[in-house]
Amino acid sequence: MSHSKIYLSPPHMTGNEQKYIKEAFDSNWIAPVGRNIDLFEQDIAHYVGAKGAVAVSSGTAAIHLALSLLGVQKGDTVFCSSLTFVASANPILYQSAEPVLIDSEPETWNMSPQALERALLDAKNEGKLPKAIIVVHLYGQPAKMDEIMNMSEAYGVPVIEDAAESLGSTYGRQMTGSIGKFGVFSFNGNKIITTSGGGALVSDDLEALDRARFLATQARDPAIHYQHSQLGFNYRLSNILAGIGRAQMEVIEERVQKRKEVFSIYKRALSDYVYFQCNNQSEKSLCRENRWLTAFTFVESEEPLEIIEHLREENIEARPIWKPLHLQPLFEKYKYYSHSASENVSEEIFRSGLCLPSGSNLSKEDQGEVINALLKNLRKESFIEEIV
Ligand SMILES: Cc1ncc(COP(=O)(O)O)c(C=O)c1O
């Protein structure tokens, strides 16, 4: 094996990060306040087309703040996509509220509008509508927002978009994260851009964002002495890390284009053997997917965990699809709505799916290695097109 380890989605620095970190050092704003934070927030808000953004220490913190702003508390319910990383739903438990988990639909793998509708109808009949709906744009694929937003309006339940994985994806003319009441982004090390760790909350409701800043800085009352009347958090992003974020935002469009190129090479090589997430929708609809991770299920019955192990032996990092939350010991006691009486779409995707290395710094040679290693596992001929 000639290549060094091929990671799933490693950080991709531009070189400019150190310039903005140096600015923080030169001005001695080594703190969760400063110019890098102000400018990073402006960059994010401007890019996604929201009126404002609050930079925080993680995407999870941003979801927690959104729930706090919506007044979620003990006894409330919050609906959430089931096919997602655990961080989408953990903040519901932080607030001592109850999650209700919603299955996926087969096309985008995101929240099933028909399952959501049944859940909302039941909740209405029980006289207890949820306080919020957390919709995830999984692996950068926009959810069916028209249908979901129509229901949000009809039932008067606000939507929080968990766009942790979908910065740069659009739904119609809108960026994901700017459609619901609140949008959440993550800048964790494996995301399309990174601050090493960090997140953002975006919204058009500037008053709510001011309150988010207040809650994220220990909810300190406007008094000279340290006075607190409400429970707050220590959730602001460091001015040093925001410097990394400023440089990363300068290249976000390049990063999206590169991930899409990675996807289209996989598509050319593997289309006969796999069903890609949103196999057919992308050309038909007005969505632009950032293709943060290329994800698919196999056409023939395969064992994804065995394939991942074989790829690992070849120094290639592949990952299973997120295990649906309703199958997690932490969440299995909560209500779950399947796509239909006979279809558990998220379970099927989990059992038969895989994510391949998709970094924006993945070389064509390394991508060729990944493709050939996978084809070897599938007992198919190697990929010999002119990409390597
Ligand atoms: C769908 C989803 N939601 C939330 C998060 C949480 O983001 P963070 O790791 O920045 O807390 C992540 C990523 O880690 C994620 O993939």
Side-chain angles (χ1 to χ4, degrees):
M1 175 193 329
S2 56
H3 61 88
S4 48
K5 180 155 185 177
I6 303 174
Y7 288 97
L8 187 79
S9 181
H12 186 179
M13 295 294 109
T14 67
N16 259 355
E17 288 80 4
Q18 308 233 8
K19 181 172 112 193
Y20 299 122
I21 292 174
K22 185 169 183 303
E23 274 183 30
F25 274 73
D26 289 347
S27 59
N28 207 30
W29 283 105
I30 314 294
V33 278
R35 190 174 131 85
N36 280 339
I37 295 180
D38 296 343
L39 294 177
F40 184 43
E41 287 180 343
Q42 283 172 26
D43 289 346
I44 296 165
H46 182 252
Y47 180 70
V48 305
K51 288 200 176 135
V54 178
V56 291
S57 53
S58 68
T60 313
I63 298 172
H64 193 192
L65 285 170
L67 293 178
S68 303
L69 292 169
L70 293 173
V72 172
Q73 56 186 359
K74 193 170 177 170
D76 290 335
T77 52
V78 174
F79 290 3
C80 183
S81 305
S82 188
L83 188 62
T84 184
F85 180 52
V86 70
S88 303
N90 273 349
I92 305 171
L93 301 185
Y94 300 167
Q95 291 300 96
S96 305
E98 274 206 20
V100 172
L101 302 165
I102 312 288
D103 198 10
S104 305
E105 44 79 18
E107 197 172 33
T108 70
W109 300 7
N110 289 312
M111 185 176 277
S112 156
Q114 66 188 59
L116 174 65
E117 178 143 49
R118 289 201 324 277
L120 281 167
L121 255 177
D122 282 358
K124 191 176 176 200
N125 290 338
E126 286 161 20
K128 194 177 170 194
L129 283 169
K131 272 279 176 70
I133 304 168
I134 302 176
V135 180
V136 180
H137 303 294
L138 201 73
Y139 303 131
Q141 178 68 53
K144 301 215 162 184
M145 291 308 285
D146 280 350
E147 281 147 284
I148 292 169
M149 290 309 294
N150 284 344
M151 279 185 259
S152 152
E153 273 153 39
Y155 287 86
V157 182
V159 163
I160 299 168
E161 290 178 80
D162 180 346
E165 301 173 355
S166 70
L167 182 64
S169 298
T170 62
Y171 183 82
R173 292 218 182 96
Q174 288 170 291
M175 286 266 174
T176 56
S178 71
I179 304 165
K181 169 80 183 163
F182 294 108
V184 167
F185 296 100
S186 166
F187 309 116
N188 188 22
N190 64 5
K191 294 297 184 288
I192 193 156
I193 63 160
T194 184
T195 57
S196 78
L201 180 69
V202 304
S203 181
D204 284 339
D205 183 343
L206 294 179
E207 256 176 57
L209 292 185
D210 278 346
R211 187 161 158 73
R213 281 191 187 88
F214 165 76
L215 291 174
T217 44
Q218 307 285 21
R220 186 177 165 192
D221 291 338
I224 292 176
H225 55 280
Y226 282 80
Q227 177 172 295
H228 302 269
S229 335
Q230 294 167 62
L231 183 62
F233 316 100
N234 183 5
Y235 275 170
R236 282 295 256 162
L237 186 69
S238 142
N239 193 47
I240 296 173
L241 301 188
I244 303 178
R246 277 180 69 193
Q248 293 269 291
M249 280 304 289
E250 291 171 351
V251 294
I252 176 66
E253 277 299 303
E254 282 168 42
R255 298 294 188 257
V256 172
Q257 287 315 325
K258 185 62 212 282
R259 296 231 180 203
K260 288 173 73 64
E261 271 169 47
V262 166
F263 170 76
S264 62
I265 291 172
Y266 281 134
K267 194 169 174 193
R268 260 193 359 244
L270 302 174
S271 282
D272 289 346
Y273 318 115
V274 305
Y275 299 118
F276 288 99
Q277 179 186 21
C278 217
N279 229 16
N280 304 313
Q281 180 172 289
S282 104
E283 278 75 30
K284 276 190 293 179
S285 79
L286 298 168
C287 291
R288 176 177 84 156
E289 308 96 344
N290 73 3
R291 295 288 177 185
W292 172 57
L293 292 186
T294 291
F296 52 75
T297 55
F298 290 101
V299 169
E300 288 170 18
S301 159
E302 300 286 345
E303 211 24 86
L305 293 184
E306 276 174 22
I307 291 178
I308 289 168
E309 182 51 28
H310 285 140
L311 293 176
R312 196 187 62 75
E313 285 161 11
E314 307 242 3
N315 231 1
I316 295 167
E317 184 188 22
R319 288 269 178 91
I321 305 299
W322 300 124
K323 182 174 182 177
L325 297 183
H326 69 274
L327 300 179
Q328 298 282 0
L330 180 64
F331 288 98
E332 65 192 2
K333 69 176 178 195
Y334 298 107
K335 249 195 214 167
Y336 159 68
Y337 283 85
S338 58
H339 181 55
S340 72
S342 59
E343 292 166 292
N344 281 292
V345 173
S346 56
E347 292 184 18
E348 204 39 54
I349 295 168
F350 167 59
R351 291 209 179 95
S352 57
L354 198 66
C355 301
L356 288 181
S358 307
S360 48
N361 43 8
L362 179 66
S363 70
K364 289 212 162 77
E365 291 73 18
D366 279 356
Q367 190 171 6
E369 299 278 359
V370 175
I371 291 168
N372 285 334
L374 182 67
L375 290 176
K376 192 172 87 187
N377 267 275
L378 300 178
R379 301 157 302 278
K380 310 288 179 202
E381 304 236 327
S382 22
F383 182 61
I384 42 158
E385 242 183 86
E386 283 277 301
I387 66 153
V388 286

